[in-house]
Structure formats: C-alpha cells, structure tokens
Amino acid sequence: MRPGPYSERALILCPDEREGLLAAQLLADAQMPRNLCPDLPALVAELVGGAGLALIADQALVDTDLSALRDWIANQPSWSDFPFIILTDRAETDRNPLTVHLSDILGNVSFVERPFQATSLLSLARTAVRGRRRQYEARARIEELRDGQEQLRFAQEAGRIGTFELMVETGTVNVSETFCRLWGLDVRSTFALSDLYDVVVPEDRPRLKTVGTELPGDALAYTEYRIRRPDTGEVRWIARQGEPVSDTATGARRYFGVTYDITAQKRAEADLRESRDQLANESEVLELLNRTTSALAAELDPDKVVKQVVEAGVALTQAAYGAFFYKARGAADDSFTLVSLAGADAAAFTSLGAPRITRMFEPTFRGLSVVRSADIATDPRYGANAPHLGLPPGHLPVRSYLAVPVVSRSGDGVGALLFGHPEPDMFSARSERVMSGLAAQAAIAIDNANLFKSVQAARETLEQRVEERTRERDRMWRLSGDLLNVFDAEGRLIAVNRAWTSVLGWSEAELLSSRVPDLVHPDDADAAREKIALLDGGTATLRYENRYRTREGGYRRIAWTASPEAGLFYAIGRDITEQREMEEQLRQSQKMEAVGQLTGGIAHDFNNLLQGITGSLDIVQRRIAQGRMGELERFISGAMTSANRAAALTHRLLAFSRRQPLDPKPVKANPLVASMEDLLRRTLGERIALELVLAGGLWQTLCDPNQLENAILNLCINARDAMIDGGRLTIETCNAHLDGAYAASVRDVRPGQYICICVTDTGAGMSKEVMSRAFDPFFTTKPIGQGTGLGLSMIYGFARQSEGYAKIYSEEGKGTTVKLYLPRYRGDRATADEEIEAPVVLPRPEQDETVLVVEDEPVVRGLIVEVLHELGYHAMEAGDGPEGMKILQSDARIDLLVTDIGLPGLNGRQIADAARVTRPDLRVLFMTGYAENAAMANGFLEPGMEMITKPFPMDALALRLREMMERSESF
C-alpha cells in the first residue's frame, strides 16, 4: 500500500472474461491505470504492491476462501480504508444476503447493479481513486507529524529536561540541576516530596498519584500540571512522565522520570483556540462593520453617529459598557461631555462629573494613543489620584478597560470612546485594532455631520459662508480618502486630490496629463466614454463602477458619482475592490447551497422516472423473449408516460433557470384567462368560489401562451392547497406602469408598461421566512410526495425569461397574492386562433427527396434515419461537423439538412453557413437539447431555417420536414 506508480491503479477480478475486458476498456478510455487479476489470490498479492480501488464481480467472492483478503483488510494501517466496487445483479444491501455479507467483510464497499451504465461506473471509480488519494495524503501528514514529534523529543532530550528519582520509602525526590532551574528551586540534589507538592497549583494536585508508600501502576504516567515558581511567582506548565524499574540486585522497585516546561506549547494551543474563535466570528464582525460604516456614511446627525458607533463598539468588543465623551470645539483640553452611553443608565455618570486628564485618561483625551488595560484594578497608571484613589463610589464595576481616541482628519481630537467590563482581560489586540478603525470612520462621519450641521446653522453673511465652505471643501479635498476630481468633455483630468496617488500610485503630474478613458480597463473604456457623453448632455451619473489601472499594472474597482456644472464634470469615487471581492465570496457560497438543493431534488425525481422507463422496457424485453406479445402496449405506454414526465420535469427546471425554449406570441390575457374558467372551476372544487375581474382595455403582451396558462394553473392549484377549509380565489388583470423609482428599489426590474395578472386567495398565508424562499427551487411546505417545489420557481423563471417579473404579497392567516407582470407588446394586435388538432397522418415525400442528418449521438441519429427511411426519404448521415461538411461539399443531392446545434468540431450553425455558400437554397432544420439555443432563436434563424427542441415526437419531426419541403418561397 505504498504510494507510487501503482498507488491509483484499479485491480479488476471478473470470472466472466467479457465483463472484465469491458470494465478494463472503460477505465482505459478514461485514462485510468488498471490490471486484470486471474483469481482472488493474485488480486490479494497485487494489493500488497499498491492500488487505488478493486473492481470485483460478486461471483468471484462466492464459495471462495476469503481469509487472505479478510486478513489484508484487517491489517490495513489506521489511515487506510481501501475502496471496493462490487458488480452484482442485486444491489439492495438490506435484501440481498450476499451484499450484506460482503459489506461486513469489505467495509468501504459500493455495489453497482448490472447492467451498469458506463458513466456511473466511471464516476464511482474516479470518486474511489480520489478518496484513496486523500488517504495517502493523510498518511503523509501523519508521518510528517510523527517525524516532527520525534525531532521534538530529541531536541528536548538535548535541551532543558529535568530528571528525577522518587524515593517512596523516604518520601524524598532526587533531582537534577536542570530540574531545579525548571521549577525555580535552589539547586540541590534532594527535596522532600511534600515540598515539591506545595509548589504545584492546588487545582492540579489531584492529578499527582505519587503521594504515599504504595503507588499505583500508573503513578508516573504522563501528566501535565501547573506550578508556581518560588523564585518569581510565575505560573508555568510542566509535563511529567516516568516508569518504575526493578533493581536487578535487590528486586526493589525504583521510580525514575523526567519533567520539562510546556508553557509555550500551552500558550500556542490557547492562541490557536483563540484564532479559531476569531475566525468563526469574523463574518459576523465584518457584516456589523459594513452595516455600521454604511450607516455612518449616510448619517448627518452627530449624536446619532456617536450612538451608532458606541453600540457597534459594545457588540464588536463584547464590552459590558460603552461611552463616548465629546470635546466641544474651542473648549479647554479637560472639558468633555458624555454624549452617548450603552449598557448602563446615564444616571450612573451624572453624579461623577466628566473624566479628568489623569495618567490613565491623558493619552486618549489628548488624541495621542489607545489605552488598553487587562485589569485596571492592578494597573499602576490608575488609582493614584485623590480624592478617590481608584473607582469612586457608585461607579460602574470596571476591570477590563479600553479607550480609543477619535481624531478628525485634520488631526484635532474629537473625543474618546471608552469601553469597560467587570471581568479582567476581556479586550484583545484585535479589539483594539477593530475599534481604532471604527473610530477613524466615526471621526470622518462626525466631521461630515458637523460640517453639515454647521453649514445648516450658519447665519453669517454670504461672503463669510462662502469663505467657510471653501475652506472646508479644500480640507475635504486634501484629506478625503475618496478619489475627487474635475475633468472636461474630452476626458482630460483638470484637478485630482491626494487620494488618487494613495489608491492608484500615479503622481498628480502624471494624472493631469492623462485622459479618463486611457486610465480605465480596456473593457470599460467604451462605457466610460458613454458616461462622459451623458454628463456632457447634462445627466448626472450615480453609482457607476469601473476599473482603473494602478501604476504597478493592476486594477482597482472604483464606484463613481459625477455631476456636470458650468461645462466641467465633478466626480467622487470610492475604492470598493475589497468590498466586491467579499460580496463575490458570499455569492459563491449561496450558489453552492442552491446547487446542492437543486442536485438533490433532480436526482430524487429523475431516479423515480428512470425506474418507470427502465422497468417497463425490461418487462417488454422479457415478454418479447418469451413470445408474449399481448400486453406489450401497456408497458410501452408506461415507459412513454415516464419519459414524458421526465421531459415535463426538464421543462420546469429550464423555466426555473430562465432558459426554457419559449414560443413567444402576441397574447391577449383576458380571453386566455376567460377560456380557462371551466378548467379552473373543476380544479378548485365546489368549496372554493372563483371570481374573475378582467380589466377593460387590457394591453397585449408577448409571451408563450401555453406557459402563461401553465403558470396561472399552478398559481390556482397552490391557492387551492392553501384553502383547506374552502374560500375565495380572485383572478384580476390590469395595466401597470412601473416607474424608475420603483424599478430601482427592486432588483432586476426594468421601468416601463406591463400587464399584471393577480391571483389572490383567502388561505393560510405565508410567514416572512417562507415568503422569502417561495421562489427557491425544490422548496415546498407540503408533505413529502405532495409537491416537487418547482411550481413557483417555474413561474418566476417564466416571468424573468419573458422579460417580466413576479412578486408575492402574503400575511399569515389573511391569504396570499401573487402578481405576474409581463411587458406590454406594441406590435400587431392580431393573434392567431388556436388550431384544432386533427389526427396525425405522417406525410410521405412526393419525389426522391434526400435529407442529410448530422448528429453526434448515435442512438438519436439512428432513430431519425430510421424514421426518414420509413417515410420514404433517402437519408444520409454524419456523426460530426467535419464528416457532414464532406458530404455537403460533394455533388450528392441534398434537399434538406437536419443538424444538431452542439456538435464536436463544427457546430450546427457553422455547418449551415458553410453549406449555404455552395448551396444557397438549402433548407436547414436545427435540433437542440439545450434550451439556451432555442431561447435565442429570435434573430438566430435566417430564412429557410427552423428549429425543433429535443425531446420531440417523431411524427412532429415528419410534419416539420414536410412543411419545409413544401415551402416554395425563396430566401
């Protein structure tokens, strides 16, 4: 089991030579190493040389001595859990005694039921090899750890390790000189055991079993305890280990051992635990910081700014109390006022007065530095000032203390943030860093708020106001961390502030000789020119983002707000590179969660449907082999039903993903809803009253009418299920105009004119939590088996794909309203009437017509060619794009090309375009099983081209071919 050239190979043991060769060929095609074993002893011998998995047919393990294999499995090292894949006719481990028996013996075993799918077997084999690779990696890490521990042991033997001999009869201990230095004792050779016992911290003394004349067998087993060194009073961690040795001469037992200092290790373990705790709390801290920073940027009331900062500081530092003392402008250095308090009543400070500039408070209130004390009661900087010499009577209990100065961008002290806790050592260096950053944000916010307040309150002359505002703007221009600039209609930068250099690295001279489009990312240059053109037309730019090149060659993402004034453009930009990276990480996490939900739901439903298909076809195959043809139609019908249900599930999944192939047509919603009335009444039952409120003058919309009917029916069924005791269901239609303000408040909604279809019930309603997840795939509140959870997600997907929007309004106990908005269509108001389906009669060709079929899936290609032959067409076929092009470039007659869009080599559209160079009148029918191709049919298809979406009935294909053959118009 050593890692090497054989460590990931697959060992194959199959008594059926054909099955073994087939499995070996599948693995070879997947470029996986493999080795065929003639019998079980040979396989066990190969296992010793190393392997990634074993693929064994179950009959190879029947009536066979498995002792050698069982011994090999039992003797695996702790890191190894070798994977086995067993090919069997029955994989149900709870019903097949053989699989139960093999599971007990093999341990890490997976069963694959015959006949097996190649893709399933390969996927399972790759998974097993990946797991085996991780086992080897785990072994390597274990060996590295063992080597490190061995090296540490050697280092300790050569370093500070004290030795001792316990004399049980006399109650004394003979010690080495190193032992004495480790314990902080005077150097001598012998100590009374009781004296050493007194050095051990009282809480750890029960761990020692060396007191007494009769010692247990594990008296000197490894243990850890703390001592308080007599020389310094310092608490140190000591590890001790020993063993009894029998004297060969007298037979008496002697007790030898060693001790060594593990204080550093214990501190490292404590630091590691603290780091893990900090990492686990990091996302919550970042979210709180982001919320607070955003709130500070928007708040213009200084008192509210301070309150938000204090409350956020208490949450971030886990303080019991928090306060902000504000220094009024122009006041003396020792004049501070309590502005905000969290965690206590302000009355607790009323009788105490303002803090004084003492040794403890001076660094903070002078704006010089942060002060952090693990225990203010023992801090030499505190408690030496009369009259109280410590905390005054009535003061809140404080042991841990953290004080952070709030200094404005100009360097002036604004005030101080003070935090306290009744327990010692509650604030860490990280608390200090976080609050220093928040204090800087608070200073900016307070500066901004005070600036706004002062401007609002100013009653000076116009000249004085202009002068003051000019000074303030100049200061903001110099000190702002945001990118401020002025530029013209040509994109030339006229003025920039210092932040440009600190963020991007360019000097002011370099920037003033540049143009905006030359500094942005090449992909953003055209958009930048468009924004400049809008500004030149008088339109301000809000929340516009692009990427600017740094002097080092990298890029930073900047969010801009710009406004035109007097022929120039004034802009402010904020570096949001790190913010966008964090948002992207969050989105990726949410995507992975959604993918997990989606995968589980698909697997569950498709397994049920595939069982219906494969089971029915298996019975048909057996009945044909038995010559029993009478009941074949029933099983074939069952297989077709399951296949159609699978297609319907795929359709709903595509609707959820907004990639289903729609057939949009001009639709009048009122007649469509009215035509569904009888169907809806039968669906809802007698206990639910149905009311239609259809608005006059309703606009047309452009959508797939069948999908719209399906969406309305799904909404009505959901409403029915919510009204267990009956109720009223109302369907309303109306015209709606969504303005820019509303569209800006709702994600992915465009302003404009829509028709609205509103379905309202008087049922149980939804909670806010359920309503927030109602459109999620496979989310359902119904019992298992009564809903897939795709209904509302399909409706949402259909609305989004039709360039519309869906919204839920609900309240528990009062019912639910779902509004479906579809965009107004201003085209031809005439809509095609529904055609009455007639019995399908497959058309025959009128002459010797030739169809070329290009399809890379052999089964699909074979079925289409077979149907063409049955219909009387002359059919030619090709398995990929290059092969199809050879036929099209020949002199063979080809009346129509049927091709899949997604082909290896050349895709279907490339084949069609190349063929029409020499065959301009060639008709083309595209096939696609990927809905995105069908969704882009509008504008994708040229005259003489059509598209059909898989899966399709063969009679539909025949009708489409005949229609295309009969069209005589040129294109």
Side-chain angles (χ1 to χ4, degrees):
M1 293 184 291
R2 58 184 181 278
Y6 303 128
S7 60
E8 295 187 1
R9 61 177 178 166
L11 302 180
I12 303 172
L13 175 58
C14 293
D16 184 343
E17 182 179 358
R18 179 175 173 274
E19 185 176 56
L21 292 174
L22 174 60
Q25 185 59 46
L26 288 175
L27 296 176
D29 292 342
Q31 298 182 346
M32 296 181 64
R34 67 275 168 208
N35 186 38
L36 283 166
C37 300
D39 51 34
L40 187 58
L43 183 139
V44 174
E46 291 293 337
L47 284 173
V48 176
L53 71 127
L55 178 62
I56 306 175
D58 57 355
Q59 60 264 37
L61 304 177
V62 177
D63 299 329
T64 302
D65 183 8
L66 302 180
S67 59
L69 179 60
R70 183 184 291 107
D71 292 342
W72 184 89
I73 293 172
N75 292 328
Q76 291 183 94
S78 60
W79 56 265
S80 177
D81 189 12
F82 188 80
F84 292 87
I85 300 177
I86 305 300
L87 301 178
T88 180
D89 293 328
R90 290 178 59 195
E92 303 90 337
T93 56
D94 57 341
R95 300 180 182 177
N96 188 346
L98 177 60
T99 59
V100 173
H101 178 62
L102 293 179
S103 296
D104 294 337
I105 294 175
L106 301 179
N108 183 8
V109 59
S110 302
F111 295 93
V112 177
E113 188 170 350
R114 301 186 184 95
F116 56 81
Q117 295 289 334
T119 55
S120 300
L121 182 60
L122 288 175
S123 176
L124 191 58
R126 290 191 180 100
T127 301
V129 170
R130 285 195 298 270
R132 188 60 173 167
R133 188 180 301 128
R134 286 192 292 270
Q135 293 176 20
Y136 283 125
E137 293 170 354
R139 188 194 70 170
R141 289 193 295 270
I142 292 172
E143 290 178 348
E144 290 174 0
L145 181 60
R146 186 182 299 118
D147 291 342
Q149 291 174 338
E150 189 69 10
Q151 294 172 4
L152 177 60
R153 185 178 66 83
F154 289 142
Q156 288 176 332
E157 289 177 353
R160 294 169 55 82
I161 298 179
T163 61
F164 66 88
E165 180 183 5
L166 174 63
M167 313 299 293
V168 177
E169 296 80 6
T170 62
T172 59
V173 182
N174 298 329
V175 300
S176 66
E177 182 179 345
T178 304
F179 182 101
C180 296
R181 287 197 297 269
L182 287 176
W183 283 60
L185 301 170
D186 295 335
V187 177
R188 64 175 190 260
S189 60
T190 303
F191 285 89
L193 179 60
S194 59
D195 293 339
L196 297 181
Y197 192 76
D198 291 338
V199 177
V200 178
V201 172
E203 293 84 352
D204 294 351
R205 291 173 186 171
R207 302 181 186 182
L208 304 179
K209 302 178 181 179
T210 54
V211 178
T213 57
E214 294 293 331
L215 301 186
D218 61 344
L220 292 181
Y222 179 86
T223 187
E224 299 173 354
Y225 52 84
R226 292 167 294 171
I227 66 169
R228 186 175 296 278
R229 291 174 59 106
D231 57 344
T232 64
E234 181 185 11
V235 174
R236 305 291 294 182
W237 274 96
I238 297 294
R240 186 220 62 193
Q241 187 170 11
E243 61 183 7
V245 178
S246 297
D247 191 304
T248 56
T250 64
R253 294 175 66 84
R254 304 176 63 185
Y255 296 87
F256 296 93
V258 297
T259 64
Y260 47 92
D261 192 317
I262 59 171
T263 305
Q265 175 184 336
K266 287 295 185 179
R267 290 173 179 171
E269 291 172 355
D271 291 342
L272 179 59
R273 287 192 296 271
E274 181 181 358
S275 297
R276 289 174 176 170
D277 293 339
Q278 290 176 352
L279 181 61
N281 192 43
E282 192 65 29
S283 60
E284 181 180 350
V285 171
L286 289 176
E287 181 180 357
L288 179 57
L289 280 173
N290 286 336
R291 287 201 309 268
T292 304
T293 302
S294 299
L296 292 179
E299 185 57 63
L300 295 175
D301 185 338
D303 292 340
K304 292 182 179 179
V305 168
V306 169
K307 184 175 184 298
Q308 291 171 350
V309 172
V310 172
E311 292 176 349
V314 169
L316 291 169
T317 63
Q318 301 297 310
Y321 328 107
F324 179 83
F325 285 88
Y326 180 73
K327 175 186 175 183
R329 290 187 177 182
D333 288 343
D334 57 353
S335 177
F336 291 86
T337 303
L338 176 65
V339 177
S340 182
L341 180 67
D345 193 331
F349 284 83
T350 302
S351 60
L352 300 177
R356 295 175 296 159
I357 305 300
T358 63
R359 183 182 176 192
M360 177 62 76
F361 295 126
E362 182 177 13
T364 305
F365 287 99
R366 300 288 191 201
L368 302 177
S369 64
V370 175
V371 174
R372 174 164 60 95
S373 176
D375 190 351
I376 199 171
T378 60
D379 196 310
R381 294 172 293 181
Y382 188 73
N385 298 288
H388 302 296
L389 301 179
L391 291 177
H395 196 286
L396 294 170
V398 175
R399 297 287 296 278
S400 297
Y401 173 78
L402 176 64
V404 183
V406 179
V407 181
S408 71
R409 288 169 292 186
S410 62
D412 298 327
V414 175
L417 288 165
L418 306 183
F419 300 96
H421 197 282
E423 298 295 330
D425 202 18
M426 293 299 296
F427 303 130
S428 63
R430 180 175 178 275
S431 302
E432 182 177 329
R433 292 194 301 271
V434 169
M435 288 313 304
S436 295
L438 190 58
Q441 294 289 335
I444 295 173
I446 292 172
D447 274 356
N448 293 338
N450 286 332
L451 175 61
F452 177 79
K453 188 175 182 179
S454 64
V455 170
Q456 292 294 98
R459 293 295 182 268
E460 300 175 351
T461 64
L462 178 59
E463 181 179 355
Q464 291 173 330
R465 290 200 302 269
V466 170
E467 183 180 358
E468 178 63 21
R469 291 180 64 184
T470 301
R471 284 198 300 268
E472 293 291 344
R473 287 178 179 177
D474 288 345
R475 185 179 301 127
M476 290 182 64
W477 179 272
R478 293 192 308 272
L479 301 177
S480 175
D482 294 331
L483 279 65
L484 307 178
N485 67 85
V486 182
F487 61 100
D488 61 16
E490 297 298 323
R492 288 189 296 266
L493 290 168
I494 297 174
V496 296
N497 70 338
R498 297 174 184 173
W500 282 77
T501 302
S502 62
V503 173
L504 301 177
W506 301 105
S507 68
E508 182 177 3
E510 290 172 326
L511 291 166
L512 296 182
S513 62
S514 303
R515 296 170 63 254
V516 170
D518 298 331
L519 293 172
V520 302
H521 192 284
D523 294 343
D524 298 342
D526 290 340
R529 294 186 184 94
E530 293 176 2
K531 292 297 181 182
I532 293 174
L534 289 175
L535 288 168
D536 197 29
T539 302
T541 298
L542 302 175
R543 297 191 302 273
Y544 167 63
E545 298 180 12
N546 60 10
R547 291 162 291 177
Y548 267 69
R549 187 175 72 256
T550 66
R551 188 180 181 86
E552 289 75 18
Y555 288 90
R556 305 293 295 179
R557 181 169 291 276
I558 310 296
W560 293 101
T561 297
S563 177
E565 185 175 341
L568 295 176
F569 311 134
Y570 298 83
I572 178 171
R574 177 161 296 176
D575 185 355
I576 58 170
T577 307
E578 285 76 16
Q579 176 184 341
R580 289 292 180 263
E581 290 174 353
M582 293 181 63
E583 291 173 353
E584 182 60 25
Q585 292 175 5
L586 178 59
R587 281 193 292 271
Q588 290 299 325
S589 175
Q590 293 170 338
K591 286 179 183 178
M592 291 305 297
E593 180 180 0
V595 167
Q597 295 175 347
L598 186 63
T599 304
I602 293 173
H604 177 270
D605 287 354
F606 267 99
N607 280 339
N608 291 337
L609 298 172
L610 290 174
Q611 181 60 51
I613 296 171
T614 58
S616 297
L617 294 178
D618 183 51
I619 294 176
V620 168
Q621 188 177 28
R622 294 184 184 181
R623 294 294 172 87
I624 292 175
Q626 296 169 359
R628 299 165 61 188
M629 306 296 183
E631 297 180 355
L632 294 184
E633 181 63 25
R634 177 163 64 93
F635 299 111
I636 293 174
S637 176
M640 284 298 295
T641 299
S642 294
N644 289 333
R645 288 177 60 201
L649 178 57
T650 302
H651 194 67
R652 300 183 80 181
L653 289 169
L654 294 173
F656 155 69
S657 67
R658 296 180 248 165
R659 294 181 175 180
Q660 65 175 337
L662 300 181
D663 184 16
K665 299 176 182 178
V667 174
K668 295 180 179 179
N670 279 349
L672 184 144
V673 174
S675 68
M676 298 177 65
E677 183 174 3
D678 291 339
L679 171 63
L680 296 177
R681 292 189 185 278
R682 290 195 301 271
T683 302
L684 297 174
E686 297 179 356
R687 303 181 64 185
I688 297 177
L690 174 65
E691 180 180 5
L692 303 184
V693 182
L694 307 180
L698 189 68
W699 297 324
Q700 279 193 131
T701 187
L702 184 68
C703 68
D704 188 327
N706 293 327
Q707 291 300 320
L708 179 56
E709 288 181 351
N710 200 16
I712 295 173
L713 181 59
N714 267 296
L715 290 175
C716 292
I717 291 173
N718 283 348
R720 178 199 65 189
D721 295 342
M723 295 185 287
I724 300 176
D725 299 324
R728 175 176 295 276
L729 177 67
T730 304
I731 302 177
E732 302 174 75
T733 62
C734 65
N735 296 325
H737 180 80
L738 303 182
D739 59 18
Y742 180 82
S745 66
V746 181
R747 185 178 180 182
D748 294 333
V749 175
R750 298 179 181 176
Q753 294 180 330
Y754 293 78
I755 72 160
C756 177
I757 301 174
C758 177
V759 179
T760 302
D761 66 64
T762 58
M766 305 180 191
S767 65
K768 291 183 179 179
E769 180 181 0
V770 171
M771 189 164 56
S772 67
R773 300 185 60 195
F775 287 134
D776 289 355
F778 298 104
F779 175 76
T780 179
T781 57
K782 299 178 182 178
I784 296 176
Q786 296 187 19
T788 65
L790 279 175
L792 284 176
S793 65
M794 178 274 291
I795 294 168
Y796 182 79
F798 160 70
R800 298 296 300 130
Q801 193 176 358
S802 300
E803 300 183 352
Y805 151 69
K807 178 69 175 178
I808 297 178
Y809 304 87
S810 185
E811 188 173 348
E812 287 185 287
K814 295 186 178 180
T816 300
T817 296
V818 180
K819 291 186 177 182
L820 191 62
Y821 293 88
L822 298 173
R824 179 182 182 181
Y825 177 65
R826 298 179 182 274
D828 187 3
R829 298 190 63 85
T831 58
D833 295 335
E834 293 288 330
E835 295 182 0
I836 300 176
E837 294 186 2
V840 177
V841 178
L842 298 181
R844 310 289 296 182
E846 298 178 359
Q847 51 187 336
D848 187 16
E849 296 171 328
T850 301
V851 178
L852 171 60
V853 180
V854 184
E855 168 62 59
D856 60 329
E857 178 58 44
V859 175
V860 177
R861 185 174 70 249
L863 289 172
I864 295 174
V865 170
E866 183 67 25
V867 170
L868 291 174
H869 286 159
E870 290 182 359
L871 294 173
Y873 291 95
H874 176 62
M876 304 175 72
E877 59 180 295
D880 56 27
E883 184 180 352
M885 282 304 305
K886 289 181 181 178
I887 299 175
L888 288 166
Q889 292 170 353
S890 69
D891 295 330
R893 172 181 174 177
I894 301 175
D895 298 287
L896 190 143
L897 169 64
V898 179
T899 178
D900 191 13
I901 290 181
L903 291 171
L906 295 172
N907 63 41
R909 182 55 191 263
Q910 291 172 327
I911 295 173
D913 291 342
R916 281 197 168 184
V917 174
T918 56
R919 300 173 185 263
D921 296 332
L922 179 66
R923 293 175 173 81
V924 182
L925 176 61
F926 292 108
M927 303 178 295
T928 179
Y930 184 51
E932 187 174 33
N933 295 328
M936 65 180 183
N938 185 19
F940 174 79
L941 301 177
E942 296 179 357
M945 295 181 179
E946 294 188 18
M947 183 179 291
I948 188 169
T949 304
K950 301 175 185 177
F952 49 77
M954 290 303 172
D955 55 354
L957 174 65
L959 290 172
R960 183 68 68 87
L961 292 174
R962 188 68 261 148
E963 291 173 0
M964 295 183 68
M965 289 290 193
E966 291 175 354
R967 292 197 182 102
S968 59
E969 65 270 17
S970 60
F971 46 83

